[in-house]
Amino acid sequence: MFSGLPTRVALTVLAATGLLAAAPSASTARPAPAPVSATTADAPSTVSPSAGVAVKMPAAVADRLGTDRKALVDAVSADVLSRSHDAGGLAPATAVGRLAAEGRKVVVDVRAVSRDWARGVAYVEAPRTRHGEPEGWLYIAHREDGRWVAGLEGDREFAEHVARSPLVGEAERRTMTAYAERRATPPAQAPRTQVSPAGAQANVNGLLLPWMPDYYMTLTGGPHAHDSGSGYWSALDFAGGNASGLVRSSREGTATSMCGAGGGWTRVIHPGGFSTDYYHMRNTTYYNGTSIARSALLGSIGTDTCAGGSATGAHVHWSLRTYDANYNGQYTWLNGRTIGGWTWWNGSGQYSGCGTRLGVTACPGTAIYNRTG
């Protein structure tokens, strides 16, 4: 799957102690092109399984960072550990050790650098003992007064960096800021009819289910938590149907391949205040903050677990997330929301909920069409 990609450099670090456990040898280093591309595809890292934090970066990025890369990784991984649901509140060394004991890693993927800026993706792997999705963030870091200040999605620093960083393209910046700007701009005149609070909350701005309109897939799992654990029941599972197993974006936006090239996890940030995650895919298209249209091809249903979790059969694990005025993406509830023409309702337990449309109820095992209205 990864043949033909450029040679990569993988580093292993223990961020909690600041110890660089492995570094690229002189024989693997290559001269860095100028500038380093923000859209260069990732290759899989070769990481010691005992390491708590794994680092992936292109050789050119590693060369440009030099000895400064350890400080960058420490800054990003510290932010990740403080934000992680499974690691938050623990001392860094304790968090890294606990995750490692479960066979899980914190992964810091440095994809691009430019002068005093760096950006990429970071995530905490999901437990491999159950179906679910990892925790992940886009990040941007800026070197200020000799130290790296990292910002993950939702941090004040991230919002500030989005506005200033040369590593954020104009299309991506417009998408990220669209909701904040809409919220900050008062309407020209008061609306003639008021939308109830419940109706306003249920509005998802025309999001589709994750395949082509007017084709069908089978609902294999009703609303459940994105990690199959606690939290809002924000995810649905789909497989089969006449959509040929092709997974497509629920709306236009900017897409990022969270695991890198060949990985089965993609996130799309939409301009209307939501984002969506797609996991377990195969044959994925590589995106890195790339502007895409509605129903853009993301990949095919699969069983990929590039960042943990488990999958016993080919499917797409689709999750609904907010993306608010503070650039904060959080998994959110599906109950009562209409997506792809179907209104989704929680069941008595995870995975058992159903969708309703025009008097028809579709529960797990039912083939449903993706509708635009």
Side-chain angles (χ1 to χ4, degrees), residues 52-75:
V53 178
V55 179
K56 299 191 295 183
M57 65 178 70
V61 168
D63 289 346
R64 293 193 71 174
L65 285 171
T67 57
D68 206 27
R69 58 187 172 235
K70 183 176 73 68
L72 170 62
V73 171
D74 284 349

Short mmCIF file of all heavy atoms in Angstrom, two decimals, residues 52-75:
data_model
loop_
_atom_site.label_atom_id
_atom_site.label_comp_id
_atom_site.label_asym_id
_atom_site.label_seq_id
_atom_site.Cartn_x
_atom_site.Cartn_y
_atom_site.Cartn_z
N GLY A 52 6.31 5.42 24.50
CA GLY A 52 5.02 6.00 24.86
C GLY A 52 4.51 6.99 23.86
O GLY A 52 3.32 7.15 23.68
N VAL A 53 5.42 7.70 23.20
CA VAL A 53 5.03 8.71 22.22
C VAL A 53 5.78 8.42 20.93
O VAL A 53 6.99 8.31 20.91
CB VAL A 53 5.36 10.14 22.71
CG1 VAL A 53 4.99 11.17 21.65
CG2 VAL A 53 4.65 10.43 24.02
N ALA A 54 5.03 8.28 19.84
CA ALA A 54 5.64 8.01 18.53
C ALA A 54 5.59 9.28 17.70
O ALA A 54 4.60 10.01 17.74
CB ALA A 54 4.89 6.89 17.83
N VAL A 55 6.65 9.52 16.96
CA VAL A 55 6.74 10.72 16.13
C VAL A 55 6.94 10.32 14.69
O VAL A 55 7.77 9.47 14.38
CB VAL A 55 7.90 11.62 16.58
CG1 VAL A 55 8.01 12.85 15.69
CG2 VAL A 55 7.70 12.03 18.02
N LYS A 56 6.15 10.93 13.80
CA LYS A 56 6.31 10.73 12.36
C LYS A 56 6.58 12.09 11.72
O LYS A 56 5.92 13.08 12.05
CB LYS A 56 5.04 10.12 11.76
CG LYS A 56 4.68 8.76 12.32
CD LYS A 56 3.59 8.08 11.51
CE LYS A 56 2.27 8.80 11.57
NZ LYS A 56 1.19 8.09 10.85
N MET A 57 7.55 12.12 10.81
CA MET A 57 7.79 13.34 10.07
C MET A 57 8.61 13.00 8.82
O MET A 57 9.39 12.05 8.83
CB MET A 57 8.51 14.39 10.91
CG MET A 57 9.91 14.04 11.35
SD MET A 57 10.69 15.40 12.31
CE MET A 57 9.73 15.33 13.82
N PRO A 58 8.42 13.75 7.75
CA PRO A 58 9.26 13.56 6.57
C PRO A 58 10.71 13.88 6.89
O PRO A 58 11.01 14.68 7.78
CB PRO A 58 8.68 14.57 5.56
CG PRO A 58 7.32 14.90 6.06
CD PRO A 58 7.40 14.80 7.56
N ALA A 59 11.61 13.25 6.16
CA ALA A 59 13.03 13.51 6.37
C ALA A 59 13.36 14.99 6.21
O ALA A 59 14.17 15.54 6.96
CB ALA A 59 13.86 12.67 5.39
N ALA A 60 12.73 15.64 5.23
CA ALA A 60 13.02 17.06 4.99
C ALA A 60 12.58 17.91 6.18
O ALA A 60 13.27 18.87 6.55
CB ALA A 60 12.31 17.52 3.72
N VAL A 61 11.45 17.56 6.79
CA VAL A 61 10.99 18.30 7.97
C VAL A 61 11.95 18.08 9.13
O VAL A 61 12.31 19.01 9.85
CB VAL A 61 9.56 17.87 8.33
CG1 VAL A 61 9.16 18.40 9.71
CG2 VAL A 61 8.57 18.38 7.29
N ALA A 62 12.37 16.83 9.33
CA ALA A 62 13.32 16.54 10.41
C ALA A 62 14.61 17.32 10.22
O ALA A 62 15.18 17.86 11.17
CB ALA A 62 13.61 15.04 10.45
N ASP A 63 15.09 17.40 8.97
CA ASP A 63 16.32 18.13 8.70
C ASP A 63 16.16 19.62 9.03
O ASP A 63 17.06 20.24 9.59
CB ASP A 63 16.71 17.96 7.23
CG ASP A 63 17.20 16.56 6.92
OD1 ASP A 63 17.48 15.81 7.87
OD2 ASP A 63 17.28 16.21 5.72
N ARG A 64 15.03 20.17 8.67
CA ARG A 64 14.84 21.61 8.88
C ARG A 64 14.67 21.93 10.36
O ARG A 64 15.10 22.99 10.81
CB ARG A 64 13.63 22.11 8.08
CG ARG A 64 13.84 22.04 6.59
CD ARG A 64 12.79 22.82 5.83
NE ARG A 64 12.95 24.26 6.00
CZ ARG A 64 12.23 25.17 5.35
NH1 ARG A 64 11.30 24.77 4.49
NH2 ARG A 64 12.43 26.45 5.55
N LEU A 65 14.08 21.03 11.11
CA LEU A 65 13.93 21.26 12.54
C LEU A 65 15.23 21.03 13.29
O LEU A 65 15.51 21.71 14.29
CB LEU A 65 12.84 20.33 13.11
CG LEU A 65 11.40 20.70 12.79
CD1 LEU A 65 10.46 19.58 13.22
CD2 LEU A 65 11.01 22.01 13.48
N GLY A 66 16.04 20.08 12.83
CA GLY A 66 17.29 19.78 13.51
C GLY A 66 17.07 19.38 14.95
O GLY A 66 16.14 18.64 15.29
N THR A 67 17.90 19.88 15.84
CA THR A 67 17.78 19.52 17.26
C THR A 67 16.54 20.13 17.90
O THR A 67 16.17 19.74 19.01
CB THR A 67 19.03 19.98 18.03
OG1 THR A 67 19.19 21.41 17.86
CG2 THR A 67 20.27 19.28 17.52
N ASP A 68 15.89 21.06 17.21
CA ASP A 68 14.71 21.71 17.76
C ASP A 68 13.48 20.81 17.73
O ASP A 68 12.46 21.12 18.32
CB ASP A 68 14.42 22.99 16.97
CG ASP A 68 13.67 24.02 17.79
OD1 ASP A 68 13.80 24.02 19.03
OD2 ASP A 68 12.95 24.83 17.19
N ARG A 69 13.57 19.68 17.02
CA ARG A 69 12.40 18.82 16.88
C ARG A 69 11.96 18.23 18.20
O ARG A 69 10.76 18.03 18.44
CB ARG A 69 12.65 17.73 15.86
CG ARG A 69 13.82 16.83 16.14
CD ARG A 69 14.06 15.91 14.97
NE ARG A 69 15.29 15.15 15.12
CZ ARG A 69 16.27 15.13 14.23
NH1 ARG A 69 16.18 15.84 13.13
NH2 ARG A 69 17.35 14.40 14.44
N LYS A 70 12.92 17.93 19.11
CA LYS A 70 12.54 17.36 20.40
C LYS A 70 11.67 18.33 21.19
O LYS A 70 10.66 17.95 21.78
CB LYS A 70 13.78 17.01 21.21
CG LYS A 70 13.46 16.34 22.55
CD LYS A 70 14.71 15.90 23.28
CE LYS A 70 15.48 17.07 23.86
NZ LYS A 70 14.71 17.70 24.97
N ALA A 71 12.03 19.62 21.18
CA ALA A 71 11.25 20.62 21.91
C ALA A 71 9.85 20.76 21.32
O ALA A 71 8.87 20.92 22.05
CB ALA A 71 11.98 21.96 21.89
N LEU A 72 9.75 20.67 19.98
CA LEU A 72 8.44 20.74 19.34
C LEU A 72 7.57 19.57 19.75
O LEU A 72 6.40 19.74 20.13
CB LEU A 72 8.61 20.77 17.82
CG LEU A 72 7.33 20.62 16.99
CD1 LEU A 72 6.36 21.77 17.27
CD2 LEU A 72 7.66 20.54 15.51
N VAL A 73 8.12 18.37 19.69
CA VAL A 73 7.35 17.18 20.05
C VAL A 73 6.94 17.21 21.51
O VAL A 73 5.82 16.84 21.87
CB VAL A 73 8.16 15.91 19.72
CG1 VAL A 73 7.47 14.67 20.29
CG2 VAL A 73 8.32 15.76 18.22
N ASP A 74 7.85 17.65 22.39
CA ASP A 74 7.50 17.77 23.80
C ASP A 74 6.32 18.72 24.00
O ASP A 74 5.41 18.44 24.79
CB ASP A 74 8.71 18.28 24.60
CG ASP A 74 9.76 17.21 24.83
OD1 ASP A 74 9.49 16.02 24.56
OD2 ASP A 74 10.87 17.56 25.27
N ALA A 75 6.33 19.86 23.30
CA ALA A 75 5.25 20.84 23.46
C ALA A 75 3.92 20.27 22.98
O ALA A 75 2.89 20.43 23.64
CB ALA A 75 5.60 22.12 22.70
#
